[in-house]
Amino acid sequence: MGFAMRARQSGPPVAVGIDLGTSCCRIGLWRDGDVLIVPNERGCLATPNCVGFLDCTGPVVGDAAAEQAAVNLKNTIFAPQRLLGATYDSPWAQRLRLQGPPEIVKGEDDSALYSIQDRGKSRLMRPEEVLAVLLHEMKRQVEQCLGVTVKCAVCTVPSKYGQKQRKALTEALHKAQLEVLALVKAPTSAAIAFSLTNPIEGPRNVLVLDFGACYCDFCLLTLHGKCLYERAVGSEFVDLDSLLVRFCLTDIKLRLGIDMSSDWAALLRLSMACESAKRKLSQWNQTRVNVEALIQGSDYCVAMSRSYFEEFCSRDIDSLMEIFDICLVESGLERDAVDVVLVGGSSRIPRFRRLVKDFFRGQQPSELLRPDHAAVLGAAVYAAALAPPAPGNSGKEDSEGEKRPGPTEPDSTPSTRAGVGTGMVGTGSGGGNPGIYSFDGLRLEEILPWSVLLETSSAPAPEDLEHLLDVPCNEAFGPRPPRESFVKRPSQSYPVTQ
């Protein structure tokens, strides 16, 4: 898995895979027998989900937007996808509104809108409009880097997304001039990448745990050949960054007697420092949360050991094992009958890895070489499988005689099997080893209803589940309510066949 900066040249239309994570997004495509993750203008494979609106120029996105956020907080939006499909009165929108700028107001249709200043003019923007700015910039970077025309995309979504959120995301992709091939749940997309890089004959059950910045999404699948069957999915809100911020705010109040809970610019800088410290504690035994000129012009520094960090966030991490147990029990599977795959940045936390290993009776969890990129790898492969055939490639027929589209670029070998090269796991270039595993005719099918994990003590009516938005709750925001079992409902998933 690599990337290259090539001169701009004309080329055929291509399909891309987009991983729209909580904190960062990534974009990749199938090229020369491998998945190529395209870097942004800074050379990074991950772009922060951040859009900033300025007084004199157009909007900035990614790292540039995050860097100016502290001095332009009212016009900088982080992770706009969190408000997709939300009404103003929903608990999720109200929580984000109370977190500070940018201002969230009520629209004519009771939707939640961002109120910002764009080039000196006041604007009310829907979340999908803000997200379209970010998606359009990612699309432009691919076209500028590789000299191709991006026409269509497969995009990952959180497991908790309902039809209302999916519809809003589809609208954002259309505004970014992208045709939507499919919306795939993030852990399912990671399972595609895992199945292609770890081919095993015969059926097997796989539980993918996608532990990201704020959520732990999971998906239980049965893999059999080129078919992936979703059996259950779920999501749990686990915001460890907020726990660290809350610890630091308490430390500042006890040591200095200063309440910083309403200083939004300082909280943003402190949050970034806490996120950096969390990442370091996955590798080091001790680190520091260090922010210059945070408190009335004075620096703030506090030491943090890994053992102490794991102790005060143990409640949230340990409770995840209960959710996994519910998933397996209701699916009728034993722990030793499931292969476990860890993806997502927070899956590197040592305590989480130990708990998962102990929960599954000593079974060593599997993972891709770069768990952060697992979802975009699967999305890029699935985009290649669903994309219309390129000129001169009329497509292939599967075993049932149905016409299936070929990949976005013709295979370099005469074989009709398009292989995923070993470069997908970072061990070399994929062009020289075709046929490891065929993704021609790749299908995603669901044989059981989609399971949604509720945080409320009483289950809502079935008609209310379609637009369900979960309410985050952990130690940073209050006591955790009683947890109900899984609530089954028919899945409104992405299209399987064309």
Side-chain angles (χ1 to χ4, degrees):
M1 175 178 57
F3 59 87
M5 301 296 292
R6 304 182 183 179
R8 184 174 179 84
Q9 56 184 359
S10 60
V14 297
V16 297
I18 300 175
D19 175 26
L20 201 60
T22 305
S23 60
C24 294
C25 54
R26 300 166 179 85
I27 186 168
L29 73 160
W30 182 265
R31 192 175 181 87
D32 299 331
D34 197 5
V35 172
L36 175 69
I37 303 179
V38 182
N40 56 27
E41 293 179 345
R42 304 286 182 92
C44 300
L45 301 182
T47 301
N49 287 335
C50 184
V51 180
F53 297 90
L54 307 178
D55 292 334
C56 55
T57 63
V60 292
V61 303
D63 296 286
E67 290 170 356
Q68 58 85 52
V71 296
N72 187 30
L73 197 56
K74 292 184 178 180
N75 302 310
T76 303
I77 301 173
F78 287 89
Q81 69 271 20
R82 293 181 297 179
L83 269 185
L84 287 178
T87 60
Y88 178 79
D89 296 324
S90 66
W92 182 251
Q94 289 302 310
R95 173 186 176 268
L96 293 178
R97 185 180 67 85
L98 296 176
Q99 283 185 337
E103 184 181 1
I104 298 176
V105 299
K106 189 174 184 178
E108 295 180 355
D109 54 351
D110 294 333
S111 60
L113 306 178
Y114 290 108
S115 176
I116 53 95
Q117 292 283 333
D118 182 17
R119 284 167 279 194
K121 297 181 180 180
S122 299
R123 292 186 61 184
L124 296 180
M125 299 189 67
R126 294 180 177 273
E128 48 267 33
E129 294 176 331
V130 181
L131 183 59
V133 175
L134 176 63
L135 293 171
H136 188 273
E137 177 64 18
M138 296 177 65
K139 172 178 176 287
R140 185 194 66 81
Q141 290 173 0
V142 174
E143 294 176 339
Q144 183 178 7
C145 178
L146 301 177
V148 297
T149 302
V150 179
K151 289 293 186 180
C152 46
V154 168
C155 188
T156 66
V157 296
S159 297
K160 66 185 181 67
Y161 264 22
Q163 282 303 296
K164 196 172 183 179
Q165 291 74 47
R166 289 170 176 260
K167 182 179 178 181
L169 178 56
T170 300
E171 182 180 345
L173 288 164
H174 287 162
K175 288 180 179 294
Q177 300 177 357
L178 287 170
E179 177 188 348
V180 183
L181 293 175
L183 299 180
V184 187
K185 305 177 190 71
T188 302
S189 181
I192 295 175
F194 175 77
S195 66
L196 296 175
T197 54
N198 298 269
I200 296 179
E201 294 184 0
R204 57 174 172 168
N205 298 310
V206 176
L207 179 63
V208 181
L209 309 180
D210 185 2
F211 197 0
C214 295
Y215 287 92
C216 182
D217 288 353
F218 62 92
C219 185
L220 179 63
L221 308 99
T222 296
L223 311 183
H224 192 185
K226 291 179 285 187
C227 295
L228 289 79
Y229 304 92
E230 284 184 345
R231 304 185 61 171
V233 296
S235 181
E236 173 73 342
F237 183 84
V238 183
D239 193 351
L240 302 182
D241 294 344
S242 295
L243 293 179
L244 273 174
V245 171
R246 186 187 180 199
F247 165 80
C248 293
L249 291 177
T250 303
D251 180 60
I252 292 172
K253 192 170 184 178
L254 292 176
R255 287 166 52 185
L256 305 175
I258 300 176
D259 185 5
M260 295 182 52
S261 58
S262 59
D263 189 345
W264 305 118
L267 283 176
L268 175 62
R269 298 176 58 208
L270 181 61
S271 177
M272 292 180 175
C274 289
E275 181 184 4
S276 177
K278 181 192 70 174
R279 295 175 181 270
K280 293 177 181 178
L281 287 174
S282 296
Q283 299 178 342
W284 304 343
N285 290 325
Q286 190 170 4
T287 188
R288 293 183 178 183
V289 179
N290 193 358
V291 187
E292 296 182 358
L294 179 68
I295 311 164
Q296 300 176 355
S298 301
D299 300 343
Y300 172 72
C301 182
V302 61
M304 175 72 64
S305 66
R306 177 189 292 177
S307 59
Y308 189 76
F309 167 73
E310 292 181 346
E311 179 182 350
F312 75 77
C313 68
S314 60
R315 178 187 176 188
D316 292 83
I317 295 180
D318 294 2
S319 65
L320 295 174
M321 302 304 115
E322 176 187 348
I323 303 173
F324 304 153
D325 186 49
I326 295 173
C327 176
L328 294 178
V329 169
E330 296 212 353
S331 299
L333 295 176
E334 296 293 334
R335 299 182 186 181
D336 52 6
V338 176
D339 294 333
V340 186
V341 181
L342 300 183
V343 297
S346 295
S347 65
R348 294 189 177 96
I349 296 176
R351 182 182 183 88
F352 177 72
R353 301 177 73 88
R354 290 196 306 269
L355 287 173
V356 170
K357 183 178 179 179
D358 294 342
F359 178 81
F360 288 95
R361 300 169 181 169
Q363 178 187 166
Q364 188 68 34
S366 304
E367 63 178 351
L368 298 179
L369 184 62
R370 298 292 297 274
D372 310 65
H373 304 328
V376 70
L377 295 177
V381 171
Y382 195 42
L386 294 181
N393 184 11
S394 59
K396 307 175 179 66
E397 294 184 0
D398 60 13
S399 58
E400 300 176 359
E402 180 185 357
K403 201 74 170 181
R404 301 295 300 167
T408 55
E409 294 186 81
D411 193 9
S412 58
T413 68
S415 172
T416 59
R417 293 170 57 107
V420 175
T422 54
M424 195 168 181
V425 291
T427 57
S429 64
N433 193 5
I436 287 183
Y437 197 91
S438 172
F439 71 83
D440 286 343
L442 179 67
R443 298 188 179 190
L444 298 176
E445 302 177 14
E446 296 184 315
I447 57 177
L448 291 181
W450 183 6
S451 302
V452 177
L453 184 67
L454 299 182
E455 284 287 357
T456 54
S457 56
S458 60
E463 59 269 15
D464 297 333
L465 284 171
E466 182 179 275
H467 308 313
L468 180 66
L469 280 172
D470 64 335
V471 181
C473 186
N474 63 6
E475 289 184 355
F477 305 104
R480 187 183 300 277
R483 178 178 290 112
E484 287 291 314
S485 182
F486 283 88
V487 176
K488 301 292 182 68
R489 70 179 171 98
S491 173
Q492 302 289 340
S493 81
Y494 40 85
V496 176
T497 60
Q498 301 295 331

